[in-house]
Amino acid sequence: MLGSGTRPRPSGRRPARRSGRSRLAGALAALTLAIPVAASVGAVPARVADQFVPSAGAQAQLGPLGDYLRDLDPAGELGPYVTEALNGINGPLGNPGPPAGVDAPVTCRPTPAHPRPVILVHGTFDNGANTVPRLGEPLRRQGFCVIAPTLGAYAGNPARGGLDSIVGASGPQLAGVIDHVRAVTGAQQVDLVGYSQGAAIAGYTTKVLRPGAVNRVVSVGGYWGADNSGLLPHQLPREVAGLGLWAANLRGIAELSPGSPMITAWYGLDRTPFLPGVGYTLIATRGDHLLPPERSFVPGPGVRWVVPEDACGGGPTSHGGIAVDRRTHGIVAGALGGAGGC
């Protein structure tokens, strides 16, 4: 669930077999989608936080886990971020402090051609400013009104978002941005474009927190609650892996676990992440080793799945590369009512 600035792998190639340590680095990236952890302590209601109280055995293994994570292959996608987190870049371990404020200036107005403002929802370790040139500028050039807030950041490091709890921070923050944008622009509804973890934040907020306020949701390499339990590395017990992510203050990605309270609330009694009446387009590439189509796509009435290399030709990209791919930009614009195509 990394921000789209991560190093893309060569298109169309399967990564060579790596050493045990390098394979674990990749597996730890997958952990962000598969651990059985609900949420962080203190950021969500106690009934949710209580489900993330590590046993004494797990606490005893945190030290060795931390040592191992610090020594991950620096070329791994998650390793450097976890190393920084364990070194305190996101605040003291297990106690990151209060959430950062959310600034969402609305410097544009929707037009008759594009009557709904578009809110970009970034991925883990990322922010709104970085997301604009990747996914926002292609839409702005077509005349869309684009807003890109930073969500889920801690006050101690406000430029790094996608870390705090979706239930306790990112979701309510996005709901507030939706309210603000609608009030300022007079638009009845907005559209959301979510990348990676941002797609889950967008989907959860659309269905649970602001039903009726969102017309279309576009997911770029996003997570929708598919079963990813097979991604867990055998080297690490599930509880220890969850404790490592929580201790590193990676609360939002800890909630993206099949069966977690956040997923349960999102799916609801109808057992679907989709809200009737909303148009959904899910985009994924086979070159994405974190969220390829079989892990990103979830069926639902009227839900459109698009694989850029199938729709437009050419080879697959990577989890980071899909956000800067011109094919993706055309598919996103078309899904929002703009000029599509490849």
Side-chain angles (χ1 to χ4, degrees), residues 1 194-199 219-224 282-285 288 290-291 296 319 322 328:
M1 309 300 290
Y195 167 69
S196 194
Q197 184 197 151
S219 167
V220 178
Y223 180 71
W224 290 86
L282 312 187
I283 307 168
T285 174
D288 186 341
L290 286 179
L291 284 167
S296 183
H319 188 66
I322 191 173
T328 300

Side-chain angles (χ1 to χ4, degrees), residues 2-324:
L2 307 177
S4 54
T6 54
R7 304 172 181 85
R9 299 185 186 278
S11 298
R13 293 186 177 180
R14 189 175 185 83
R17 186 172 181 83
R18 298 174 291 174
S19 67
R21 179 172 296 169
S22 297
R23 289 198 304 274
L24 182 57
L28 282 168
L31 280 175
T32 65
L33 306 176
I35 60 174
V37 178
S40 60
V41 175
V44 293
R47 64 181 183 278
V48 176
D50 286 346
Q51 300 188 41
F52 189 66
V53 178
S55 68
Q59 293 183 44
Q61 295 183 63
L62 177 58
L65 175 63
D67 292 340
Y68 201 84
L69 291 176
R70 294 179 202 279
D71 197 31
L72 285 171
D73 178 0
E77 287 201 62
L78 186 62
Y81 290 107
V82 175
T83 298
E84 290 177 346
L86 289 170
N87 286 331
I89 194 171
N90 301 325
L93 299 185
N95 185 27
V102 178
D103 186 22
V106 182
T107 59
C108 55
R109 294 294 183 271
T111 65
H114 304 297
R116 294 181 302 276
V118 177
I119 301 174
L120 305 181
V121 190
H122 59 79
T124 314
F125 310 112
D126 216 338
N127 58 52
N130 287 340
T131 307
V132 169
R134 300 166 188 156
L135 292 169
E137 286 302 331
L139 294 173
R140 284 180 172 175
R141 287 195 291 270
Q142 290 199 28
F144 285 92
C145 176
V146 177
I147 297 93
T150 296
L151 308 170
Y154 300 119
N157 190 356
R160 176 169 286 194
L163 303 180
D164 208 346
S165 164
I166 296 173
V167 174
S170 298
Q173 289 169 355
L174 177 57
V177 172
I178 291 172
D179 294 344
H180 173 66
V181 170
R182 293 173 67 198
V184 171
T185 64
Q188 292 186 347
Q189 293 181 309
V190 301
D191 292 337
L192 303 178
V193 176
Y195 167 69
S196 194
Q197 184 197 151
I201 297 170
Y204 171 81
T205 305
T206 295
K207 187 181 180 197
V208 178
L209 301 181
R210 288 299 182 272
V214 179
N215 185 275
R216 301 180 189 182
V217 177
V218 181
S219 167
V220 178
Y223 180 71
W224 290 86
D227 183 4
N228 297 284
S229 58
L231 297 176
L232 274 171
H234 298 298
Q235 299 97 322
L236 292 176
R238 294 169 70 93
E239 188 180 18
V240 174
L243 177 61
L245 288 171
W246 178 84
N249 301 325
L250 306 179
R251 299 173 172 181
I253 51 181
E255 291 176 324
L256 300 183
S257 165
S260 75
M262 177 266 176
I263 297 294
T264 300
W266 181 11
Y267 269 56
L269 296 178
D270 52 351
R271 298 184 179 181
T272 175
F274 307 116
L275 181 68
V278 176
Y280 293 90
T281 300
L282 312 187
I283 307 168
T285 174
R286 294 188 183 89
D288 186 341
H289 70 285
L290 286 179
L291 284 167
E294 63 268 23
R295 297 179 189 141
S296 183
F297 293 165
V298 172
V303 177
R304 180 186 177 214
W305 299 348
V306 185
V307 178
E309 55 266 32
D310 291 347
C312 303
T317 57
S318 64
H319 188 66
I322 191 173
V324 296

